[in-house]
């Protein structure tokens, strides 16, 4: 028995029987070919552009399987990456999923055609504009609407939409004509609750759907009433329009469990979508953040954040916190949006701030008897993350969170974390140290005050005791560190003070050590 392409060559003008076509295609799927591009053209011509050999569901399915295989082998995509082929394949997928007959094959045929399109868009980005044209996007949206109960079709439609939604014009069209945000939210909610397994698991479908939804949010945000870009969140009217996506995203986060101390793929997309919404306005949006069981979603977000932070900064056996583990880009990318969303909640809702303050600072008070980075509990872990120089943008986000917890009072912030820990954050945020910070420190007794640099009670006896335990070399290193710190702060304009180390050196109170001396 010959393969399909040999039959085509030998039959000339003779019509092949349906059985010959099916058998020939079955053999072709198991055969290696060198002239792949030529055979792609034959398959497209006889199965996609026309129905010449589309004699049965099985024959068409085998032909689409071959196109999928060949499409992956062609470095330039070949004819399958052309506008005519992609539109033809989408039309074929739409036809079969909408066809009331052939229940046994229509999902498989639709899936194979969509796979060819998704692969071409992924492997050959040059062909994406062919699909973003309105008619092609219409077909994908309609296929999703009809076939969303099939996990494979839902996944592939979401993948095609994700790749298509790369301009604000396309996003605007999908929202205005199809209300795509509601359709994606419906599909996501469906797979959030699903438990079946197929080619793609419910979690994979949920993640891919949320990726498409995130892209839709990102490009839709660029449109406002006057066509200008907005800032960080949807305006009230647009927020209500996209509320279904916020609802399903918060549902994902509410039920999400960490996977090896990382957010699940779906949760990563969900928190990114949530960042596009205010937490307080309009009323419909606030109710999504704070439903009747008021704290359920706030606590879910905070517990995810707290669990990751606690993993990164372990408590040792004596209750003190160790230095942070390696802050990989994955942890930075997961913790930063969580911190930003929590900061927004703290800023816009005073009762949430009080609730989380009690967890970060137990007994609703700050323990000034310990250095901020050594206090037991959550507060010291946040300080260690904030001062980590390898954390990318995460330290600044953590600093924002601590500042929001303290009611955006910069004096209280400096006293609570110590200026030595806060310096990097304040430079990054261009925050000047208040001139009267020393006068505003809290008193513990007549002898003890809170040192704004260390964030701990101190007295002259403490200073003398610490100095007595330091070697001359340790004193020299500390003096050099402080010298560099004051110089940098003066140059950046954060503070304008006389460097006490420079003054001490100039007045002869510090003497250079001979490194050869023991």
């Amino acid at each position: 028995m010959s393969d399909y392409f040999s039959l085509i060559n030998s039959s000339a003008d003779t019509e092949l029987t349906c059985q010959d076509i099916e058998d020939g295609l079955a053999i072709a799927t198991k055969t290696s070919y060198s002239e792949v591009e030529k055979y792609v053209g034959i398959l497209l011509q006889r199965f996609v552009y026309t129905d010449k050999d589309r004699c049965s569901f099985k024959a068409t399915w085998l032909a689409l399987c071959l196109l999928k295989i060949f499409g992956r082998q062609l470095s330039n995509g070949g004819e399958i990456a052309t506008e005519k082929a992609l539109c033809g394949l989408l039309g074929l997928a739409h036809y079969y999923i909408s066809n009331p007959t052939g229940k046994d094959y229509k999902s498989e045929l639709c899936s194979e055609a969509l796979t060819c399109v998704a692969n071409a868009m992924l492997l050959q980005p040059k062909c994406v504009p062919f699909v973003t044209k309105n008619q092609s996007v219409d077909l994908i949206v309609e296929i999703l609407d009809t076939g969303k109960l099939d996990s494979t079709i839902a996944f592939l439609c979401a993948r095609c939409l994700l790749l298509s939604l790369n301009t604000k014009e396309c996003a605007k069209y999908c929202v205005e004509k199809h209300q795509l945000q509601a359709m994606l939210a419906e599909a996501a909610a469906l797979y959030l609750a699903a438990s079946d397994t197929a080619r793609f698991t419910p979690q994979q479908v949920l993640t891919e759907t949320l990726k498409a939804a995130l892209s839709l949010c990102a490009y839709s945000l660029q449109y406002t009433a006057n066509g200008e870009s907005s800032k960080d969140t949807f305006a009230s009217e647009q927020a209500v329009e996209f509320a279904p996506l916020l609802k399903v995203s918060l549902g994902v986060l509410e039920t999400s469990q960490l996977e090896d101390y990382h957010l699940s793929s779906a949760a990563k997309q969900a928190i990114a979508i949530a960042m596009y919404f205010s937490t307080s306005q309009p009323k419909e949006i606030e109710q999504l953040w704070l439903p009747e069981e008021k704290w359920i979603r706030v606590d879910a977000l905070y517990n995810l954040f707290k669990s990751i932070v606690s993993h990164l900064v372990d408590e040792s056996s004596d209750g003190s916190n160790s230095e942070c583990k390696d802050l990989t880009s994955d942890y930075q990318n997961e913790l930063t949006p969580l911190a930003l969303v929590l900061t927004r909640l703290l800023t816009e809702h005073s009762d949430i701030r009080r609730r989380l303050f009690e967890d970060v600072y137990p007994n609703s008070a700050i323990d000034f008897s310990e250095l901020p980075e050594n206090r037991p509990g959550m507060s010291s872990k946040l300080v260690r993350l904030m001062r980590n120089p390898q954390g990318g943008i995460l330290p600044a986000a953590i600093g924002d969170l601590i500042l929001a917890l303290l009611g955006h009072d910069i004096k209280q912030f400096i006293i609570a974390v110590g200026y030595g820990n806060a310096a990097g954050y304040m430079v990054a945020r261009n925050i000047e140290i208040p001139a009267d910070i020393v006068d505003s420190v809290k008193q513990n007794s007549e002898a003890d005050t809170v040192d704004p640099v260390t964030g701990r009670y101190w007295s002259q006896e403490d200073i003398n005791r610490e100095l007595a335990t330091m070697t001359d070399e340790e004193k020299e290193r500390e003096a050099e560190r402080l010298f560099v710190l004051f110089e940098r702060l003066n140059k950046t304009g954060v503070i304008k003070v006389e460097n006490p180390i420079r003054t001490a050196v100039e007045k002869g109170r510090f003497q250079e050590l001979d490194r050869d001396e023991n």
Side-chain angles (χ1 to χ4, degrees):
M1 186 68 185
S2 300
D3 70 286
Y4 174 74
F5 302 107
S6 298
L7 289 173
I8 294 294
N9 290 332
S10 62
S11 64
D13 295 329
T14 305
E15 291 289 331
L16 295 173
T17 67
C18 192
Q19 189 64 54
D20 288 339
I21 293 172
E22 290 179 358
D23 292 343
L25 287 168
I27 294 172
T29 59
K30 302 173 184 178
T31 306
S32 297
Y33 295 98
S34 58
E35 297 180 281
V36 170
E37 193 159 351
K38 170 186 173 182
Y39 296 141
V40 165
I42 292 173
L43 291 169
L44 288 171
Q45 184 61 41
R46 300 175 78 98
F47 286 92
V48 179
Y49 305 152
T50 70
D51 60 356
K52 183 175 178 61
D53 285 348
R54 211 188 297 164
C55 60
S56 67
F57 289 123
K58 182 179 179 181
T60 307
W61 178 75
L62 288 167
L64 290 171
C65 288
L66 271 173
L67 278 173
K68 177 179 68 177
I69 295 169
F70 291 163
R72 290 170 176 165
Q73 294 175 2
L74 291 170
S75 59
N76 63 355
E79 189 176 346
I80 203 171
T82 63
E83 182 173 4
K84 183 179 179 181
L86 292 173
C87 291
L89 286 164
L90 285 173
L92 199 61
H94 184 269
Y95 169 76
Y96 280 115
I97 200 63
S98 306
N99 192 338
T101 62
K103 290 188 296 183
D104 294 338
Y105 271 98
K106 68 177 188 177
S107 292
E108 287 82 354
L109 288 165
C110 180
S111 298
E112 291 303 321
L114 285 174
T115 301
C116 291
V117 174
N119 286 347
M121 295 175 71
L122 189 63
L123 300 174
Q124 302 296 326
K126 66 181 181 181
C127 71
V128 170
F130 304 149
V131 182
T132 58
K133 292 184 177 179
N134 296 341
Q135 185 179 7
S136 296
V137 171
D138 289 345
L139 291 173
I140 299 172
V141 173
E142 290 169 15
I143 294 168
L144 174 63
D145 192 34
T146 305
K148 59 180 174 286
L149 292 175
D150 184 294
S151 61
T152 301
I153 292 175
F155 179 93
L156 292 168
C157 283
R159 171 64 58 86
C160 290
L161 286 170
L162 171 63
L163 296 170
S164 301
L165 290 166
N166 60 359
T167 66
K168 57 186 179 182
E169 290 79 14
C170 184
K172 186 170 186 284
Y173 175 83
C174 289
V175 170
E176 291 181 348
K177 181 171 181 181
H178 296 289
Q179 289 294 294
L180 181 58
Q181 73 281 8
M183 196 179 299
L184 289 171
E186 183 182 352
L190 179 67
Y191 287 96
L192 176 60
S195 58
D196 65 307
T197 57
R199 176 179 170 188
F200 297 104
T201 66
Q203 274 295 306
Q204 288 175 312
V205 181
L206 175 62
T207 300
E208 202 68 15
T209 304
L210 290 177
K211 285 181 180 179
L214 178 59
S215 185
L216 184 67
C217 288
Y219 284 106
S220 296
L221 184 64
Q222 297 182 19
Y223 270 100
T224 57
N226 59 7
E228 297 177 355
S229 293
S230 61
K231 295 182 180 178
D232 300 316
T233 58
F234 288 127
S236 294
E237 183 178 345
Q238 201 173 21
V240 172
E241 192 175 24
F242 278 74
L245 284 178
L246 175 62
K247 182 179 179 180
V248 73
S249 295
L250 292 177
V252 170
L253 293 166
E254 183 182 327
T255 58
S256 182
Q257 300 292 322
L258 294 180
E259 300 173 357
D260 194 25
Y261 295 102
H262 284 282
L263 292 178
S264 67
S265 297
K268 293 174 189 176
Q269 309 307 316
I271 191 64
I273 291 171
M275 289 178 64
Y276 285 104
F277 294 85
S278 165
T279 68
S280 61
Q281 15 179 317
K283 193 67 177 177
E284 298 96 316
I285 298 300
E286 183 182 38
Q287 289 172 345
L288 291 176
W289 287 98
L290 303 172
E292 289 185 7
E293 297 179 54
K294 186 173 183 180
W295 303 115
I296 187 169
R297 287 175 175 166
V298 173
D299 287 348
L301 280 169
Y302 180 65
N303 287 336
L304 288 172
F305 176 79
K306 183 178 179 180
S307 296
I308 298 174
V309 169
S310 297
H311 170 69
L312 288 173
V313 189
D314 290 328
E315 285 190 1
S316 58
S317 57
D318 62 1
S320 62
N321 288 315
S322 62
E323 288 298 333
C324 300
K325 295 177 181 175
D326 184 24
L327 276 177
T328 63
S329 59
D330 286 341
Y331 280 122
Q332 294 173 36
N333 293 337
E334 293 169 26
L335 275 178
T336 299
L338 281 171
L340 294 174
V341 169
L342 286 169
T343 299
R344 188 174 295 163
L345 284 163
L346 294 170
T347 302
E348 298 179 355
H349 302 276
S350 58
D351 51 348
I352 295 177
R353 183 173 72 84
R354 288 191 294 271
R355 182 178 179 84
L356 298 193
F357 184 92
E358 291 173 359
D359 186 84
V360 175
Y361 297 102
N363 304 318
S364 298
I366 300 172
D367 180 9
F368 290 105
S369 64
E370 293 283 352
L371 288 169
E373 61 270 27
N374 291 335
R375 294 168 189 154
M378 190 67 173
S379 65
S380 57
K381 296 177 182 181
L382 294 179
V383 169
R384 288 182 180 274
L385 285 175
M386 182 186 69
R387 73 180 193 177
N388 191 310
Q390 308 299 325
I393 63 173
L394 176 60
I398 297 293
D400 291 341
L401 177 63
I402 298 173
L403 186 58
L405 270 173
L406 297 168
H408 294 277
D409 185 327
I410 191 63
K411 294 179 183 177
Q412 290 300 313
F413 173 75
I414 292 173
I415 292 171
V417 305
Y419 186 72
N421 292 319
Y425 167 74
M426 294 177 68
V427 169
R429 288 287 187 253
N430 198 27
I431 299 174
E432 291 189 8
I433 185 171
D436 58 345
I437 184 67
V438 176
D439 298 329
S440 67
V441 296
K442 295 182 176 181
Q443 299 288 330
N444 180 44
S445 67
E446 292 184 0
D448 296 330
T449 60
V450 176
D451 178 6
V453 174
T454 64
R456 186 181 68 172
Y457 289 133
W458 64 277
S459 65
Q460 189 59 48
E461 290 181 2
D462 294 327
I463 297 174
N464 293 338
R465 186 163 49 250
E466 289 193 19
L467 287 174
T469 63
M470 296 174 67
T471 66
D472 289 339
E473 285 158 342
E474 288 173 336
K475 292 175 184 177
E476 181 187 14
R477 284 196 298 270
E478 184 65 13
E480 289 175 349
R481 188 184 71 82
L482 292 173
F483 184 90
V484 172
L485 175 63
F486 274 94
E487 287 297 293
R488 187 178 71 168
L489 295 177
N490 270 317
K491 287 179 181 178
T492 56
V494 175
I495 57 173
K496 291 295 182 184
V497 295
E498 185 67 27
N499 187 329
I501 309 301
R502 182 193 296 276
T503 302
V505 172
E506 290 175 350
K507 292 184 178 180
R509 282 183 280 167
F510 281 179
Q511 293 182 350
E512 184 175 357
L513 294 175
D514 187 344
R515 296 186 183 277
D516 294 331
E517 294 180 2
N518 293 323

